[in-house]
Amino acid sequence: MSFVAGVIRRLDETVVNRIAAGEVIQRPANAIKEMIENCLDAKSTSIQVIVKEGGLKLIQIQDNGTGIRKEDLDIVCERFTTSKLQSFEDLASISTYGFRGEALASISHVAHVTITTKTADGKCAYRASYSDGKLKAPPKPCAGNQGTQITVEDLFYNIATRRKALKNPSEEYGKILEVVGRYSVHNAGISFSVKKQGETVADVRTLPNASTVDNIRSIFGNAVSRELIEIGCEDKTLAFKMNGYISNANYSVKKCIFLLFINHRLVESTSLRKAIETVYAAYLPKNTHPFLYLRLCYQDLLAPLGRWLNPQQV
Ligand code: ADP
Ligand code: MG
Protein backbone atom coordinates (compact mmCIF):
# COMPACT_ATOMS: atom_id res chain seq x y z
CA MET A 1 0.00 0.00 0.00
CA SER A 2 1.25 3.46 -0.84
CA PHE A 3 0.93 6.39 1.57
CA VAL A 4 2.03 9.06 -0.85
CA ALA A 5 -0.41 11.97 -1.12
CA GLY A 6 -2.17 12.23 -4.48
CA VAL A 7 -1.67 15.19 -6.72
CA ILE A 8 -4.78 17.40 -6.86
CA ARG A 9 -5.60 18.61 -10.35
CA ARG A 10 -8.41 20.73 -11.67
CA LEU A 11 -10.74 18.70 -13.94
CA ASP A 12 -11.26 19.79 -17.48
CA GLU A 13 -14.51 21.77 -17.93
CA THR A 14 -16.03 19.26 -20.38
CA VAL A 15 -15.33 16.42 -17.94
CA VAL A 16 -17.02 18.39 -15.13
CA ASN A 17 -20.04 19.07 -17.35
CA ARG A 18 -20.25 15.45 -18.47
CA ILE A 19 -20.18 14.16 -14.88
CA ALA A 20 -22.84 16.70 -13.83
CA ALA A 21 -24.98 15.78 -16.87
CA GLY A 22 -24.74 12.07 -16.03
CA GLU A 23 -26.25 12.86 -12.62
CA VAL A 24 -29.25 14.66 -14.14
CA ILE A 25 -29.80 12.19 -17.00
CA GLN A 26 -29.38 8.62 -15.81
CA ARG A 27 -31.36 6.76 -18.46
CA PRO A 28 -33.42 7.45 -21.60
CA ALA A 29 -36.67 7.79 -19.60
CA ASN A 30 -35.19 10.73 -17.60
CA ALA A 31 -34.27 12.55 -20.80
CA ILE A 32 -37.77 11.95 -22.18
CA LYS A 33 -39.43 13.22 -18.98
CA GLU A 34 -37.40 16.45 -19.15
CA MET A 35 -38.22 16.93 -22.82
CA ILE A 36 -41.94 16.24 -22.32
CA GLU A 37 -41.99 18.86 -19.57
CA ASN A 38 -40.44 21.30 -22.04
CA CYS A 39 -43.16 20.49 -24.61
CA LEU A 40 -45.83 21.10 -21.96
CA ASP A 41 -44.17 24.37 -20.92
CA ALA A 42 -44.29 25.38 -24.60
CA LYS A 43 -48.10 24.87 -24.56
CA SER A 44 -48.09 21.91 -26.95
CA THR A 45 -51.29 19.97 -27.50
CA SER A 46 -49.65 17.08 -29.34
CA ILE A 47 -46.47 15.30 -28.22
CA GLN A 48 -45.09 12.40 -30.25
CA VAL A 49 -42.17 10.26 -29.20
CA ILE A 50 -40.24 7.83 -31.42
CA VAL A 51 -37.43 5.69 -30.02
CA LYS A 52 -34.92 3.18 -31.24
CA GLU A 53 -33.22 0.58 -29.01
CA GLY A 54 -35.02 1.74 -25.88
CA GLY A 55 -33.96 5.34 -26.51
CA LEU A 56 -30.26 4.49 -26.37
CA LYS A 57 -29.81 4.83 -30.13
CA LEU A 58 -32.47 7.46 -30.82
CA ILE A 59 -35.10 9.55 -29.08
CA GLN A 60 -37.18 11.89 -31.20
CA ILE A 61 -39.81 14.16 -29.69
CA GLN A 62 -42.06 16.27 -31.87
CA ASP A 63 -44.42 18.88 -30.45
CA ASN A 64 -46.68 21.61 -31.79
CA GLY A 65 -45.83 24.21 -29.16
CA THR A 66 -44.46 27.75 -29.35
CA GLY A 67 -41.17 26.77 -30.97
CA ILE A 68 -37.81 28.35 -30.18
CA ARG A 69 -36.76 31.71 -31.65
CA LYS A 70 -33.90 31.52 -34.14
CA GLU A 71 -31.92 34.04 -32.06
CA ASP A 72 -32.09 31.69 -29.08
CA LEU A 73 -30.78 28.64 -30.90
CA ASP A 74 -27.17 29.71 -30.17
CA ILE A 75 -27.48 29.35 -26.41
CA VAL A 76 -30.44 26.99 -25.88
CA CYS A 77 -28.21 24.02 -24.97
CA GLU A 78 -25.85 25.96 -22.69
CA ARG A 79 -26.12 25.47 -18.95
CA PHE A 80 -28.40 27.91 -17.09
CA THR A 81 -30.10 29.33 -20.18
CA THR A 82 -33.87 29.47 -19.84
CA SER A 83 -36.86 31.46 -21.07
CA LYS A 84 -38.79 30.73 -17.88
CA LEU A 85 -37.02 32.55 -15.05
CA GLN A 86 -35.39 35.96 -14.94
CA SER A 87 -34.87 36.93 -11.34
CA PHE A 88 -34.52 34.99 -8.09
CA GLU A 89 -37.87 36.42 -6.93
CA ASP A 90 -39.64 34.83 -9.94
CA LEU A 91 -39.04 31.45 -8.27
CA ALA A 92 -41.90 32.11 -5.82
CA SER A 93 -44.46 32.44 -8.62
CA ILE A 94 -43.12 30.13 -11.31
CA SER A 95 -45.73 27.92 -12.94
CA THR A 96 -43.61 26.08 -15.52
CA TYR A 97 -41.88 22.75 -15.01
CA GLY A 98 -38.51 24.11 -16.00
CA PHE A 99 -36.64 27.12 -14.68
CA ARG A 100 -32.99 26.14 -14.32
CA GLY A 101 -32.05 25.64 -17.94
CA GLU A 102 -30.19 22.44 -17.23
CA ALA A 103 -32.01 19.68 -19.09
CA LEU A 104 -31.04 20.35 -22.69
CA ALA A 105 -27.51 21.27 -21.65
CA SER A 106 -27.16 18.00 -19.73
CA ILE A 107 -28.52 15.96 -22.62
CA SER A 108 -26.18 17.65 -25.09
CA HIS A 109 -23.18 16.70 -22.93
CA VAL A 110 -24.03 13.00 -23.09
CA ALA A 111 -25.59 12.65 -26.58
CA HIS A 112 -25.81 14.20 -30.03
CA VAL A 113 -28.71 16.68 -30.03
CA THR A 114 -30.46 18.17 -33.07
CA ILE A 115 -33.25 20.73 -32.76
CA THR A 116 -35.64 21.62 -35.59
CA THR A 117 -38.03 24.35 -34.63
CA LYS A 118 -40.44 26.95 -35.98
CA THR A 119 -42.22 29.75 -34.14
CA ALA A 120 -45.65 31.08 -35.18
CA ASP A 121 -44.17 34.23 -36.75
CA GLY A 122 -40.95 32.67 -38.05
CA LYS A 123 -40.78 32.55 -41.87
CA CYS A 124 -39.40 29.02 -41.90
CA ALA A 125 -38.09 26.37 -39.54
CA TYR A 126 -34.43 26.17 -38.46
CA ARG A 127 -32.30 23.17 -37.69
CA ALA A 128 -29.26 23.15 -35.43
CA SER A 129 -27.01 20.46 -33.94
CA TYR A 130 -25.24 20.58 -30.59
CA SER A 131 -22.39 18.92 -28.82
CA ASP A 132 -21.20 19.62 -25.26
CA GLY A 133 -23.72 22.45 -24.91
CA LYS A 134 -22.49 24.28 -27.97
CA LEU A 135 -23.91 24.86 -31.41
CA LYS A 136 -21.88 22.93 -33.98
CA ALA A 137 -22.63 25.19 -36.97
CA PRO A 138 -24.99 28.15 -37.63
CA PRO A 139 -28.69 27.09 -37.70
CA LYS A 140 -29.87 26.13 -41.19
CA PRO A 141 -33.25 27.20 -42.58
CA CYS A 142 -35.52 24.28 -43.52
CA ALA A 143 -39.17 23.33 -43.96
CA GLY A 144 -41.23 22.48 -40.90
CA ASN A 145 -44.50 23.01 -39.05
CA GLN A 146 -44.86 25.18 -35.98
CA GLY A 147 -43.36 23.51 -32.95
CA THR A 148 -40.18 21.75 -32.02
CA GLN A 149 -38.59 18.44 -32.86
CA ILE A 150 -35.65 17.34 -30.76
CA THR A 151 -33.58 14.28 -31.63
CA VAL A 152 -31.17 12.73 -29.18
CA GLU A 153 -28.81 10.18 -30.69
CA ASP A 154 -26.35 7.74 -29.11
CA LEU A 155 -27.12 8.56 -25.50
CA PHE A 156 -24.05 8.12 -23.26
CA TYR A 157 -21.75 7.63 -26.28
CA ASN A 158 -19.06 9.32 -24.17
CA ILE A 159 -19.78 7.57 -20.83
CA ALA A 160 -18.79 3.93 -21.30
CA THR A 161 -19.72 2.87 -17.74
CA ARG A 162 -23.25 4.21 -18.07
CA ARG A 163 -23.71 2.59 -21.46
CA LYS A 164 -22.66 -0.77 -20.06
CA ALA A 165 -25.07 -0.40 -17.13
CA LEU A 166 -27.98 0.10 -19.55
CA LYS A 167 -27.67 -2.94 -21.73
CA ASN A 168 -31.31 -3.93 -21.87
CA PRO A 169 -33.20 -1.78 -24.45
CA SER A 170 -36.54 -3.44 -23.73
CA GLU A 171 -36.26 -2.57 -20.04
CA GLU A 172 -35.50 1.04 -21.01
CA TYR A 173 -38.44 1.04 -23.41
CA GLY A 174 -40.67 -0.16 -20.56
CA LYS A 175 -39.55 2.79 -18.40
CA ILE A 176 -40.24 5.18 -21.28
CA LEU A 177 -43.78 3.82 -21.75
CA GLU A 178 -44.32 4.16 -18.01
CA VAL A 179 -43.26 7.82 -17.88
CA VAL A 180 -45.14 8.90 -21.00
CA GLY A 181 -48.23 6.87 -20.04
CA ARG A 182 -48.34 8.62 -16.67
CA TYR A 183 -47.88 12.11 -18.11
CA SER A 184 -50.64 11.38 -20.62
CA VAL A 185 -53.07 10.44 -17.82
CA HIS A 186 -52.16 13.64 -16.02
CA ASN A 187 -52.57 15.77 -19.12
CA ALA A 188 -55.97 14.88 -20.56
CA GLY A 189 -56.63 17.21 -23.49
CA ILE A 190 -53.13 16.77 -24.88
CA SER A 191 -52.46 13.87 -27.24
CA PHE A 192 -49.42 11.71 -26.64
CA SER A 193 -47.92 8.86 -28.60
CA VAL A 194 -44.88 6.64 -28.22
CA LYS A 195 -43.67 4.16 -30.76
CA LYS A 196 -40.59 2.31 -31.86
CA GLN A 197 -38.95 3.66 -34.99
CA GLY A 198 -40.31 1.91 -38.08
CA GLU A 199 -43.45 0.62 -36.32
CA THR A 200 -46.89 1.82 -37.37
CA VAL A 201 -48.69 0.93 -34.15
CA ALA A 202 -48.06 3.16 -31.13
CA ASP A 203 -47.55 1.58 -27.68
CA VAL A 204 -48.93 4.65 -25.91
CA ARG A 205 -51.59 6.66 -27.63
CA THR A 206 -54.07 9.15 -26.23
CA LEU A 207 -56.43 11.41 -28.15
CA PRO A 208 -56.77 15.19 -27.80
CA ASN A 209 -60.43 15.07 -26.72
CA ALA A 210 -60.08 12.13 -24.29
CA SER A 211 -60.97 12.46 -20.60
CA THR A 212 -58.72 11.39 -17.73
CA VAL A 213 -60.70 8.15 -17.35
CA ASP A 214 -60.41 7.50 -21.11
CA ASN A 215 -56.66 7.85 -20.77
CA ILE A 216 -56.51 5.56 -17.73
CA ARG A 217 -58.47 3.04 -19.84
CA SER A 218 -56.13 3.23 -22.79
CA ILE A 219 -52.95 3.05 -20.69
CA PHE A 220 -53.94 0.74 -17.82
CA GLY A 221 -56.84 -1.21 -19.33
CA ASN A 222 -60.57 -1.50 -19.28
CA ALA A 223 -60.80 -3.56 -16.07
CA VAL A 224 -59.41 -0.81 -13.85
CA SER A 225 -61.18 2.05 -15.63
CA ARG A 226 -64.58 0.52 -14.72
CA GLU A 227 -63.80 0.34 -11.02
CA LEU A 228 -62.65 3.88 -10.26
CA ILE A 229 -63.83 6.25 -7.56
CA GLU A 230 -63.27 9.95 -8.09
CA ILE A 231 -61.88 11.58 -4.99
CA GLY A 232 -60.92 15.07 -3.86
CA CYS A 233 -60.31 17.24 -0.82
CA GLU A 234 -59.00 20.66 0.04
CA ASP A 235 -57.48 22.27 3.12
CA LYS A 236 -57.32 26.06 3.16
CA THR A 237 -55.05 26.37 6.20
CA LEU A 238 -52.51 23.92 4.86
CA ALA A 239 -53.06 25.47 1.40
CA PHE A 240 -53.36 22.19 -0.47
CA LYS A 241 -55.78 20.52 -2.84
CA MET A 242 -55.93 16.88 -3.77
CA ASN A 243 -57.96 14.99 -6.32
CA GLY A 244 -57.77 11.93 -8.50
CA TYR A 245 -59.11 8.46 -9.15
CA ILE A 246 -58.60 5.35 -7.04
CA SER A 247 -59.72 1.77 -7.58
CA ASN A 248 -62.55 0.37 -5.45
CA ALA A 249 -62.62 -2.94 -3.55
CA ASN A 250 -63.73 -4.88 -6.67
CA TYR A 251 -60.39 -4.32 -8.34
CA SER A 252 -56.92 -5.50 -7.42
CA VAL A 253 -53.56 -6.10 -9.11
CA LYS A 254 -50.38 -8.01 -8.30
CA LYS A 255 -48.32 -4.84 -7.98
CA CYS A 256 -49.54 -1.49 -6.72
CA ILE A 257 -49.96 1.11 -9.47
CA PHE A 258 -49.49 4.53 -7.95
CA LEU A 259 -49.40 7.65 -10.10
CA LEU A 260 -48.51 10.56 -7.84
CA PHE A 261 -48.20 14.09 -9.15
CA ILE A 262 -47.21 16.87 -6.78
CA ASN A 263 -47.63 20.32 -8.31
CA HIS A 264 -47.91 18.53 -11.68
CA ARG A 265 -44.60 16.74 -11.36
CA LEU A 266 -44.47 12.96 -11.40
CA VAL A 267 -42.88 11.85 -8.11
CA GLU A 268 -42.41 8.69 -6.05
CA SER A 269 -43.34 8.49 -2.38
CA THR A 270 -42.74 5.21 -0.61
CA SER A 271 -44.16 6.48 2.67
CA LEU A 272 -47.44 7.60 1.07
CA ARG A 273 -47.66 4.36 -0.90
CA LYS A 274 -47.20 2.29 2.28
CA ALA A 275 -49.77 4.31 4.21
CA ILE A 276 -52.35 3.88 1.41
CA GLU A 277 -51.59 0.17 1.02
CA THR A 278 -52.26 -0.34 4.72
CA VAL A 279 -55.75 1.10 4.30
CA TYR A 280 -56.47 -1.05 1.21
CA ALA A 281 -55.10 -4.19 2.88
CA ALA A 282 -58.28 -4.33 4.96
CA TYR A 283 -60.45 -4.56 1.81
CA LEU A 284 -58.43 -6.37 -0.87
CA PRO A 285 -57.55 -10.08 -1.16
CA LYS A 286 -54.20 -10.99 0.37
CA ASN A 287 -51.14 -9.99 -1.69
CA THR A 288 -53.09 -7.87 -4.13
CA HIS A 289 -52.91 -4.13 -4.56
CA PRO A 290 -54.86 -1.04 -5.72
CA PHE A 291 -54.54 1.45 -8.58
CA LEU A 292 -54.26 5.11 -7.62
CA TYR A 293 -53.87 8.34 -9.51
CA LEU A 294 -53.46 11.28 -7.14
CA ARG A 295 -52.77 14.88 -7.95
CA LEU A 296 -51.67 17.02 -5.06
CA CYS A 297 -51.21 20.75 -5.42
CA TYR A 298 -49.96 22.97 -2.67
CA GLN A 299 -48.93 26.56 -2.39
CA ASP A 300 -45.46 27.24 -1.13
CA LEU A 301 -46.33 28.62 2.30
CA LEU A 302 -42.81 29.95 2.71
CA ALA A 303 -43.04 32.20 -0.34
CA PRO A 304 -45.08 34.94 1.40
CA LEU A 305 -42.85 34.53 4.45
CA GLY A 306 -39.86 35.30 2.25
CA ARG A 307 -41.58 38.50 1.14
CA TRP A 308 -42.28 39.45 4.77
CA LEU A 309 -38.67 38.86 5.76
CA ASN A 310 -37.49 40.86 2.79
CA PRO A 311 -39.94 43.77 2.43
CA GLN A 312 -38.23 45.12 -0.68
CA GLN A 313 -39.93 42.36 -2.62
CA VAL A 314 -43.53 43.46 -2.86
P1 ADP B 1 -35.72 24.92 -18.62
O1 ADP B 1 -36.88 24.06 -19.01
O2 ADP B 1 -35.35 24.78 -17.17
O3 ADP B 1 -35.87 26.35 -19.06
P2 ADP B 1 -34.26 23.32 -20.53
O4 ADP B 1 -32.81 23.03 -20.68
O5 ADP B 1 -35.17 22.18 -20.31
O6 ADP B 1 -34.40 24.37 -19.36
O7 ADP B 1 -34.71 24.14 -21.81
C1 ADP B 1 -34.04 25.37 -22.12
C2 ADP B 1 -34.93 26.31 -22.91
O8 ADP B 1 -35.16 25.76 -24.21
C3 ADP B 1 -36.32 26.50 -22.33
O9 ADP B 1 -36.33 27.53 -21.35
C4 ADP B 1 -37.15 26.84 -23.57
O10 ADP B 1 -37.07 28.22 -23.84
C5 ADP B 1 -36.44 26.09 -24.69
N1 ADP B 1 -37.13 24.83 -25.05
C6 ADP B 1 -36.73 23.56 -24.77
N2 ADP B 1 -37.57 22.66 -25.28
C7 ADP B 1 -38.55 23.35 -25.90
C8 ADP B 1 -39.73 22.99 -26.65
N3 ADP B 1 -40.07 21.70 -26.83
N4 ADP B 1 -40.48 23.99 -27.17
C9 ADP B 1 -40.14 25.29 -27.00
N5 ADP B 1 -39.05 25.70 -26.30
C10 ADP B 1 -38.26 24.75 -25.78
MG1 MG C 1 -36.91 21.99 -19.07
Side-chain angles (χ1 to χ4, degrees):
M1 196 183 283
S2 148
F3 291 99
V4 182
V7 180
I8 299 179
R9 296 186 191 86
R10 192 175 299 281
L11 286 172
D12 186 50
E13 200 188 314
T14 25
V15 176
V16 173
N17 283 332
R18 195 173 301 162
I19 294 171
E23 298 291 319
V24 181
I25 306 297
Q26 304 195 330
R27 60 194 330 160
N30 298 137
I32 290 184
K33 176 174 183 272
E34 290 290 340
M35 289 191 284
I36 285 182
E37 291 184 345
N38 283 341
C39 303
L40 294 168
D41 282 343
K43 303 189 171 60
S44 310
T45 56
S46 160
I47 300 171
Q48 288 160 11
V49 183
I50 294 176
V51 307
K52 197 171 162 185
E53 288 175 28
L56 293 164
K57 190 78 203 136
L58 171 85
I59 300 169
Q60 184 185 86
I61 303 197
Q62 170 83 54
D63 71 40
N64 63 350
T66 57
I68 301 170
R69 299 175 333 139
K70 185 193 173 223
E71 306 87 281
D72 295 336
L73 282 174
D74 290 9
I75 59 162
V76 69
C77 283
E78 277 176 34
R79 258 184 117 187
F80 312 126
T81 58
T82 177
S83 58
K84 299 165 196 173
L85 179 76
Q86 281 182 3
S87 67
F88 185 75
E89 287 68 39
D90 290 349
L91 271 176
S93 59
I94 200 132
S95 64
T96 51
Y97 286 103
F99 59 84
R100 290 175 304 181
E102 266 196 301
L104 282 183
S106 301
I107 297 169
S108 82
H109 277 101
V110 295
H112 302 297
V113 173
T114 302
I115 302 182
T116 309
T117 186
K118 183 180 175 302
T119 56
D121 49 11
K123 281 190 205 77
C124 63
Y126 287 91
R127 176 169 299 153
S129 295
Y130 301 83
S131 149
D132 291 324
K134 293 191 188 67
L135 194 62
K136 286 210 265 193
K140 281 209 177 79
C142 62
N145 296 328
Q146 190 193 320
T148 303
Q149 183 191 76
I150 300 189
T151 59
V152 174
E153 285 166 288
D154 297 315
L155 191 59
F156 305 126
Y157 74 96
N158 51 6
I159 312 187
T161 46
R162 186 56 61 80
R163 223 175 37 241
K164 279 192 198 113
L166 302 173
K167 46 180 181 290
N168 187 345
S170 60
E171 187 181 334
E172 297 311 313
Y173 191 57
K175 299 262 178 217
I176 292 169
L177 294 182
E178 187 178 314
V179 166
V180 185
R182 289 172 184 221
Y183 270 86
S184 66
V185 167
H186 189 69
N187 292 280
I190 296 174
S191 66
F192 286 81
S193 78
V194 183
K195 64 182 174 197
K196 291 184 181 162
Q197 195 187 41
E199 299 280 324
T200 41
V201 183
D203 296 305
V204 163
R205 186 170 150 78
T206 59
L207 300 173
N209 48 3
S211 67
T212 303
V213 176
D214 290 336
N215 289 348
I216 294 176
R217 182 181 307 114
S218 63
I219 307 292
F220 296 96
N222 203 21
V224 61
S225 72
R226 277 180 306 180
E227 307 291 353
L228 294 174
I229 309 170
E230 189 172 2
I231 54 160
C233 68
E234 187 172 353
D235 188 312
K236 289 238 160 62
T237 23
L238 293 175
F240 86 90
K241 267 190 199 168
M242 190 274 290
N243 59 28
Y245 291 89
I246 61 174
S247 57
N248 63 28
N250 294 331
Y251 178 83
S252 62
V253 262
K254 280 206 197 96
K255 207 167 164 254
C256 180
I257 304 175
F258 185 24
L259 284 65
L260 175 64
F261 284 80
I262 299 185
N263 286 356
H264 304 289
R265 278 173 213 279
L266 178 61
V267 294
E268 299 269 344
S269 167
T270 330
S271 45
L272 202 52
R273 179 192 294 256
K274 280 191 182 144
I276 293 169
E277 289 245 60
T278 314
V279 178
Y280 269 95
Y283 302 95
L284 299 184
K286 224 176 158 46
N287 297 323
T288 68
H289 306 268
F291 166 95
L292 306 121
Y293 161 47
L294 298 183
R295 36 201 298 162
L296 227 145
C297 288
Y298 70 92
Q299 253 174 25
D300 187 352
L301 292 173
L302 296 177
L305 186 66
R307 277 192 277 276
W308 177 70
L309 290 171
N310 181 1
Q312 275 133 320
Q313 309 169 26
V314 183

